[in-house]
């Protein structure tokens, strides 16, 4: 903070602010806000609005709820006690809110001090509206920005409470609430936090909203405020007495577009909410203070974009200042005023014309900014791109290779709420008791309804729901068909998941699990006897029966996989004497094609996870082979993922289930490949 | 950038020596987070009060440091934790000591962030073709892991740890070994570090280095015999100085 506060830009902004605090005497401040605060502190009441109106005050003086009043109260009382003019209590409260908003934006845009000071602290919009014209929109905008900050930190109870506080400060902030709700409902990982948001919102509502409902004068002042009517000013007349209001229409369209994104991340929430505010401000004869609503969006957009964005926003801000000064005078202490119209010797007609032209140019620039924000912050956002089509992973491997365990591990990262699994077992043609299995093994493609497996996969990849049976391994029977909805991630696993070219074309990432044959038989024997209720003799006999089909139909699929995981015992003889007393020591051999991150992966596995890694290329350098040995923990894997593929972490569950050991390594490597595949898909 | 001995900055050096901890990244925040993580884990594992951990750990650290004096192993978290468990009456508890140590370093690494402009500075030096080495205390394994984690390995030609040298700075050995490895063309060496005793005084007295102290809020400027030739708080200031000297050549 010291670095920020000693920056020349900060000192310049502070000097401008202090200069205006001591020299300006804005009308709104002198005629409405300060007299209201004077009245409410002279005759202290929990219903200051009634006291004010009873004393003959104007209803437009303070059309805000408790939070706005409470925000100004401490410094108003302090100046009163010190015998200073109350106007300084008002102005320094604004300055405090202004500085706090700078700090809040610093949290949202870290390590960009210079840019932040340039785009926020020196923003002509903030300076003119707050200190030149005395408008108080900084308070609700600060609260809304804090709500966004706590939303990003997943402190949803705080976010909900502060969101209501923003509405209490200025009722227009209610426009933001549906965006928060859509964000929490549509982001499946965050949906579990919705009750926290609602609870925070409700508690704050009960404390600040309910008492306000008992103030008839307060309600009258808020809802009779002529500013509320400005949103209906732009209308398309359909016939006599019936019009379409453009601003509410635009707002509803924005809400629908936000809903249709299906899954929002924080950046999308911020961008969509900011764009809604920007369009409302542009399309209404808004108070100059409303432009402050757009500032958090414009600051984050400028931080993310480049010089053109900064130049365009500066141009927009300059037009705002000119058009505002042509229509509104800045008044100074002692009665002087800055009247641009008189300074330029413009007639009223010419001045109106010039103001309209400038306003038109400003709206045009604002619309260009909105379009750029849509293009850069929305359509290029990874979440937005993913919402167009699910990410599809195909996992093939022999029976007992660990397809289910591996699928569960990947599902554990993204969360059950974001993954749909399609299992090849559910497409066996016959129940286990049927005679066909005497002449055919499950490994034979003809024993499986691969056509329907493919159709269902295509449907899920297209975002559609399917109806599918489920194969019960205990009973050996298919269930009745059940409805399965598509999701952000589709994991299709099965003996033949990579068998048909049509299936392979559906996958964004294809994986083959190639386990050491002795190890596979060991694991399969354990699973089929202990979990699926088969006899040991049955399982042992099936190995020999299935071997030819495995060679013919299953193993060739690894040639089509982007990534092959091969689990092998470190010492091949271990299994001969394995009695279960000591854990099996295994190594993971990873073969990849068309991948470019092996070097960074090796660095992190060695440097962070403390593993032994050998890297080699095959003869025709079409494949890279990594052999990884050693023990690692889930925490190390999580740290490694943070280094290797930080962009994808946002897609994971709030508490992703990282695993220890080899499965954890497989999770990490798969994630790096998902990250690469996503990048490729988005290009 | 404050230059106290202007005459020592008339040209670019023949080699750069850098300290690591608290010079290239903020040590205190990473250490505080890591220390808190093991404290939380120990308190949760043994159901003890946090101050019991604090006192046992502090005592263990003091004992290890006293026994091993200025050697790399005297900084070993593993030894501190092993001794802490022994002081708590639990024996050496090899598994727990290792687990706590992993927790410490994992948390440490995930909270270690390079200061602004460090990589840009190192890249400037690389382009000038001047050799660079890290001269740092502590054991080789963890320092290597830090260098890898922070992505510094591609910039530095050599690294010397006190484990390799047998002594911590300001002993002659680490500086001497660094110069033997670097084989600089001339004798103008810049030593950049945060510690006024080990880096600044050590660098000047042992190898007559031009000393530059990295200053931040928890490292006061060295005075008297610990006074550096120059001090800076932002690496961009050092970049400007190097660019200026480079242009003048």
């Amino acid at each position: 903070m010291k670095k920020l506060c000693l920056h020349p830009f900060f000192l310049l902004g502070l000097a401008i602010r202090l200069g205006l605090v001591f020299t300006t005497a804005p009308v709104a401040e002198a005629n409405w806000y300060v007299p209201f605060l004077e009245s409410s502190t002279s005759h202290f009441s929990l219903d200051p609005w009634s006291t004010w109106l009873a004393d003959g005050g104007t209803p437009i003086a303070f059309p805000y709820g408790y939070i706005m009043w409470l925000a100004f109260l401490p410094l108003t009382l302090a100046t009163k006690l010190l015998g200073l003019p109350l106007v300084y209590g008002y102005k320094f409260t604004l300055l405090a809110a202004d500085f706090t908003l700078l700090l809040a934006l610093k949290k949202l845009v870290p390590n960009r001090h210079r840019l932040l000071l340039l785009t926020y602290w020196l923003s002509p919009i903030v300076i003119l509206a707050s200190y030149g014209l005395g408008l108080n929109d900084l308070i609700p905008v600060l609260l809304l920005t804090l709500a966004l900050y706590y939303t990003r930190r997943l402190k949803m109870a705080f976010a909900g409470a502060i969101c209501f506080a923003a509405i209490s400060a200025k009722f227009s902030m209610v426009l933001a609430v549906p965006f928060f709700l859509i964000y929490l409902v549509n982001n499946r990982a965050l949906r579990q936090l919705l009750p926290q948001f609602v609870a925070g919102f409700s508690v704050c509502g009960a404390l600040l909203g309910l008492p306000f409902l008992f103030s008839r004068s307060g309600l009258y002042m808020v809802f009779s405020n002529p500013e509320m009517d400005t949103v209906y000013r732009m209308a398309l007349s359909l016939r006599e007495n019936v019009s379409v209001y453009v601003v509410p229409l635009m707002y509803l369209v924005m809400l629908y577009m936000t809903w249709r994104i299906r899954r929002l991340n924080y950046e999308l929430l911020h961008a969509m909410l900011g764009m809604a505010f920007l369009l409302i401000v542009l399309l209404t004869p808004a108070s100059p203070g409303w432009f402050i609503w757009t500032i958090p969006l414009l600051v984050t957009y400028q931080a993310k974009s480049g010089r053109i964005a900064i130049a365009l926003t500066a141009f927009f801000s300059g037009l705002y200042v000119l058009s505002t000064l042509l229509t509104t005078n800045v008044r100074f202490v002692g009665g002087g005023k800055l009247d641009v119209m008189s300074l330029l010797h413009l007639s009223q007609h010419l001045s109106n014309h010039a103001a309209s032209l400038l306003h038109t140019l400003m709206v045009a620039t604002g619309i260009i900014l909105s379009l750029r924000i849509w293009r850069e912050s929305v359509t290029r956002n990874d979440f937005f791109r993913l919402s167009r089509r699910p990410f599809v992973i195909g996992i093939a491997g022999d029976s007992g290779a660990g397809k289910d365990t591996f699928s569960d591990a990947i599902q554990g990262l993204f969360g059950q709420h974001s993954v749909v699994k399609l299992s090849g077992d559910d497409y066996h043609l016959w129940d286990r008791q049927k005679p066909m299995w005497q002449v055919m093994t499950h490994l034979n493609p003809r024993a499986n309804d691969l056509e329907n497996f493919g159709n269902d996969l295509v449907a899920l990849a297209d975002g559609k729901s399917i109806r599918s049976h489920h194969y019960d391994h205990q009973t050996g029977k298919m269930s009745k068909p059940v409805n399965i909805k598509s999701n952000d991630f589709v994991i299709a696993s099965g003996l033949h998941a990579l068998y048909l070219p049509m299936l392979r074309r559906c996958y964004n990432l294809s994986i083959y699990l190639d386990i050491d044959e002795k190890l596979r038989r060991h694991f399969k024997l354990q699973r089929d006897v202990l979990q699926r209720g088969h006899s040991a003799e049955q399982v042992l006999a099936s190995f020999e029966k299935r071997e030819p089909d495995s060679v013919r139909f299953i193993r060739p699929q690894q040639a089509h996989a982007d990534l092959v995981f091969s689990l092998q015992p470190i010492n091949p003889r271990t299994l001969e004497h394995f009695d279960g007393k000591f854990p099996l020591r295994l190594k993971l051999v990873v073969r990849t094609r068309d991948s470019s991150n092996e070097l960074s992966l090796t660095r992190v596995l060695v440097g962070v996870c403390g593993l032994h890694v050998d890297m080699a290329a095959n003869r025709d350098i079409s494949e890279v082979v990594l052999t990884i040995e050693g023990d690692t923990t889930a925490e190390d894997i999580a740290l490694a993922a943070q280094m290797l593929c930080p962009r994808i972490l946002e897609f994971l569950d709030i508490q992703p289930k990282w695993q220890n050991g080899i499965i954890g390594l497989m999770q990490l490597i798969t994630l790096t490949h998902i990250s690469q595949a996503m990048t490729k898909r988005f290009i | 950038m404050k230059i106290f001995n202007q005459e020592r900055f008339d040209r670019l050096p023949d080699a750069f020596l850098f300290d690591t901890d608290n010079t290239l990244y903020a040590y205190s925040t990473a250490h505080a987070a890591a220390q808190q993580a093991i404290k939380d884990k120990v308190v949760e594992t043994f159901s003890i009060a946090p101050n019991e951990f604090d006192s046992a750990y502090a005592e263990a650290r003091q004992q290890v440091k006293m026994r091993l004096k200025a050697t790399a192993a005297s900084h070993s978290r593993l030894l501190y934790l092993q001794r802490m468990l022994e002081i708590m009456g639990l024996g050496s508890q090899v598994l727990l000591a290792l687990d706590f140590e992993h927790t410490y370093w994992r948390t440490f690494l995930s909270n270690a962030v390079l200061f602004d402009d460090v990589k840009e500075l190192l890249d400037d030096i690389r382009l000038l073709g001047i050799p660079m080495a890290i001269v740092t205390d502590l054991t080789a394994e963890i320092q290597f892991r830090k260098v890898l984690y922070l992505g510094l390995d591609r910039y530095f030609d050599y690294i010397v740890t006190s484990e390799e040298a047998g002594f911590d700075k300001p002993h002659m050995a680490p500086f001497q070994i660094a110069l033997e490895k670097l084989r600089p063309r001339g004798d103008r060496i810049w030593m950049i570090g945060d510690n006024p005793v080990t880096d600044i005084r050590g660098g000047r007295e042992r190898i007559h280095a031009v000393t530059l102290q990295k200053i931040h809020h928890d490292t006061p400027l060295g005075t008297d015999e610990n006074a550096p030739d120059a001090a800076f708080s932002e690496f961009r200031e050092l970049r400007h100085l190097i660019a200026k000297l480079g242009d003048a050549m």
Side-chain angles (χ1 to χ4, degrees), chain B residues 97-132:
Chain B
L98 268 175
D99 183 32
F100 295 153
E101 194 223 11
H102 282 162
T103 302
Y104 179 89
W105 286 119
R106 188 186 309 114
T107 316
F108 186 99
L109 289 180
S110 58
N111 285 280
V113 182
L114 282 178
F115 287 126
D116 289 347
D117 293 313
V118 165
K119 284 195 173 172
E120 289 78 3
L121 168 78
L122 299 176
D123 214 37
D124 292 347
I125 300 173
R126 181 186 63 79
L127 287 170
L128 287 166
I130 304 172
M132 289 182 273

Side-chain angles (χ1 to χ4, degrees), chain A residues 35-36 39-40 43 45 47-61 215-218 220-221:
Chain A
F36 180 88
S39 152
S40 66
H43 318 283
S45 153
D47 184 5
W49 300 274
S50 297
T51 314
W52 171 256
L53 289 184
D55 288 348
T58 168
I60 56 173
S215 169
R216 288 184 63 184
S217 304
Y220 171 69
M221 284 171 76

Side-chain angles (χ1 to χ4, degrees), chain A residues 186-192 263 382-383 386 390-395 405-421 487-492 508-509 511 641 645-659 666-678 681-682:
Chain A
N186 273 6
N187 188 319
R188 293 180 185 90
L190 300 181
R191 197 177 291 171
Q192 54 189 298
R263 182 173 178 174
D382 288 352
F383 262 74
L386 183 69
F391 190 91
V392 189
I393 304 166
I395 302 168
T405 310
F406 179 60
S407 304
D408 289 346
I410 299 301
Q411 187 184 48
L413 293 181
F414 295 102
Q416 217 169 356
H417 42 69
S418 297
V419 175
V420 60
K421 291 202 287 187
N487 215 324
D488 296 338
F489 291 88
V490 179
I491 300 179
N508 300 109
L509 177 66
I511 300 168
C645 42
R647 265 177 70 194
I648 203 168
L649 298 186
E650 207 179 6
F651 290 93
L652 303 189
D653 203 358
I654 298 176
Q655 298 281 343
K657 292 188 182 73
W658 295 103
Q659 302 215 15
M666 289 163 76
Q667 285 181 313
L668 175 70
I669 295 165
T670 305
L671 211 56
T672 61
H673 278 76
I674 292 175
S675 179
Q676 277 194 1
M678 269 190 179
R681 200 179 102 180
F682 295 160

Side-chain angles (χ1 to χ4, degrees), chain B:
Chain B
M1 179 126 198
K2 289 177 189 156
I3 297 181
F4 305 111
N5 291 321
Q6 191 67 50
E7 72 281 1
R8 304 207 74 187
F9 291 94
D10 56 341
R11 68 176 177 93
L12 283 170
D14 300 301
F16 281 92
L17 302 183
F18 281 89
D19 171 50
T20 319
D21 301 322
N22 229 19
T23 296
L24 300 179
Y25 71 94
Y27 175 83
S28 48
T29 44
H31 170 69
Q35 193 69 12
Q36 188 61 44
I38 46 170
K39 185 172 172 176
D40 292 346
K41 199 161 187 175
V42 171
V43 166
E44 194 189 313
T45 310
F46 301 133
S47 305
I48 58 166
N51 60 341
E52 287 178 68
F53 165 85
D54 290 337
S55 59
Y57 187 85
E59 192 185 337
R61 184 170 178 272
Q62 195 190 8
Q63 287 182 10
V64 172
K65 282 218 173 270
M66 192 147 358
R67 193 178 307 139
L68 297 172
K69 305 249 166 14
T71 60
S74 71
H75 307 285
S76 166
R77 259 72 202 177
L78 186 60
L79 295 183
Y80 298 168
L81 289 161
Q82 178 199 350
R83 187 69 200 125
M84 179 194 78
L85 291 164
E86 290 162 0
I87 289 170
M88 290 164 82
L90 301 170
S92 291
Q93 292 297 334
V94 175
L95 176 66
L96 285 173
L98 268 175
D99 183 32
F100 295 153
E101 194 223 11
H102 282 162
T103 302
Y104 179 89
W105 286 119
R106 188 186 309 114
T107 316
F108 186 99
L109 289 180
S110 58
N111 285 280
V113 182
L114 282 178
F115 287 126
D116 289 347
D117 293 313
V118 165
K119 284 195 173 172
E120 289 78 3
L121 168 78
L122 299 176
D123 214 37
D124 292 347
I125 300 173
R126 181 186 63 79
L127 287 170
L128 287 166
I130 304 172
M132 289 182 273
I134 284 176
V135 182
T136 182
D137 293 339
L138 234 154
T139 51
E141 193 210 338
I142 188 57
Q143 294 303 56
F144 285 15
R145 285 180 69 182
K146 277 185 206 167
V147 166
L148 269 177
Y149 180 84
L150 295 168
L152 297 174
D153 51 318
R154 66 192 61 178
Y155 298 101
F156 285 97
D157 301 293
Y158 295 100
I159 177 165
V160 179
T161 61
S162 56
E163 185 175 32
E164 179 188 3
F167 300 94
D168 280 350
K169 292 175 287 184
H171 193 278
M172 178 73 178
F175 295 109
Q176 192 64 46
I177 293 171
L179 293 187
E180 282 167 14
K181 288 182 180 182
L182 283 171
R183 293 167 179 263
R185 281 187 214 149
D187 58 359
R188 181 65 63 87
I189 310 297
W190 282 16
M191 172 69 212
I192 297 155
D194 71 304
N195 191 308
V197 177
T198 59
D199 297 321
I200 302 306
R201 187 175 166 188
R204 194 184 57 248
E205 289 184 354
R206 305 301 182 195
I207 53 169
H208 307 294
V210 177
T211 52
L212 294 97
Q213 192 184 354
K214 165 80 173 85
I215 302 287
H216 29 251
H217 59 92
D218 51 355
T219 51
L221 181 67
T223 52
D224 304 325
E225 68 269 32
N226 302 326
D229 295 314
F232 63 94
S233 48
E234 300 287 334
F235 274 94
R236 70 184 146 79
E237 300 165 27
L238 191 52
R239 288 186 72 198
H240 287 155
L241 175 68
I242 290 171
K244 208 169 82 181
L245 293 175
D247 290 343
M249 277 172 71

Side-chain angles (χ1 to χ4, degrees), chain A residues 414-648:
Chain A
F414 295 102
Q416 217 169 356
H417 42 69
S418 297
V419 175
V420 60
K421 291 202 287 187
L422 189 69
S423 171
D425 291 351
D426 299 339
Y427 294 82
H428 291 326
L429 279 174
W430 312 288
D431 291 344
R432 194 191 298 152
Q433 297 77 9
K434 297 290 176 184
M436 278 306 283
W437 295 122
Q438 292 167 14
V439 293
M440 210 178 270
T441 76
H442 292 78
L443 276 54
N444 191 324
R446 285 195 291 165
N448 296 276
D449 187 359
L450 290 187
E451 201 177 315
N452 260 329
F453 181 72
N455 290 340
D456 286 349
L457 180 64
V458 169
L460 290 175
D462 197 25
K464 293 174 186 149
S465 298
I466 58 164
R467 284 185 74 74
S468 169
H469 299 275
H470 174 63
Y471 182 73
D472 185 337
H473 283 282
Q474 297 288 339
T475 62
K477 288 188 173 173
M478 289 288 176
S479 70
K480 285 184 176 174
V482 286
N483 203 39
I484 299 174
K485 282 184 180 174
S486 182
N487 215 324
D488 296 338
F489 291 88
V490 179
I491 300 179
S493 66
L495 294 163
H496 306 95
L498 304 179
Y499 189 78
L500 296 178
M502 170 225 191
L503 293 172
R504 299 197 291 264
R505 278 197 291 272
C506 287
Y507 302 129
N508 300 109
L509 177 66
S510 52
I511 300 168
Y512 183 85
L513 301 182
D514 169 37
I515 189 168
D516 174 84
E517 186 55 22
K518 282 182 185 165
L519 201 58
R520 183 184 77 81
R521 291 186 177 200
H522 168 75
F523 285 148
K524 184 171 161 62
L525 191 63
Q526 278 195 322
R527 182 197 66 185
D528 286 358
V529 174
L530 298 176
Q531 291 175 19
R532 295 185 178 173
H534 302 261
S535 73
E537 292 73 28
Q538 270 179 326
V539 181
L540 288 170
S542 77
F543 288 144
E544 301 314 318
K545 191 179 165 192
R546 288 175 172 219
E547 178 64 15
D549 280 354
S550 178
V551 172
R552 194 171 160 204
F553 301 118
I554 308 300
R555 290 176 209 170
Q557 292 180 65
Q558 58 186 295
H560 304 294
D562 302 316
L563 181 60
V564 178
F565 287 120
S566 180
L567 200 59
Q568 297 173 9
I570 289 179
N571 183 347
R573 285 185 302 174
T574 324
L575 280 170
E576 290 167 17
H577 312 288
F578 183 68
D579 54 8
K581 284 183 183 168
F582 299 99
L584 269 173
R585 291 180 57 77
L586 304 173
K587 65 181 176 187
L588 180 68
V589 180
V590 186
R591 296 208 305 276
T592 61
R593 262 178 228 115
D594 202 20
S595 170
S596 57
N597 64 357
E598 287 75 27
L599 283 176
S600 54
L601 182 65
T602 305
R603 279 169 59 88
V604 171
L605 292 179
V606 174
V608 175
C609 302
L611 295 166
H612 170 81
V613 183
D614 284 331
M615 186 167 75
N618 69 349
R619 272 190 196 165
D620 60 355
I621 53 169
S622 59
E623 272 185 5
V624 175
V625 182
L626 293 176
T627 306
I628 309 165
E629 283 180 40
D631 290 325
T632 189
T633 61
E635 290 85 354
D636 281 340
I637 297 282
L639 181 60
Q642 214 170 13
M643 293 178 70
L644 284 167
C645 42
R647 265 177 70 194
I648 203 168

Side-chain angles (χ1 to χ4, degrees), chain A residues 312-327:
Chain A
L312 207 58
T313 312
F315 185 60
F316 177 74
S317 306
L319 290 169
Y320 162 87
V321 171
L322 284 176
S323 69
T324 304
L325 287 179
L326 270 177
T327 51

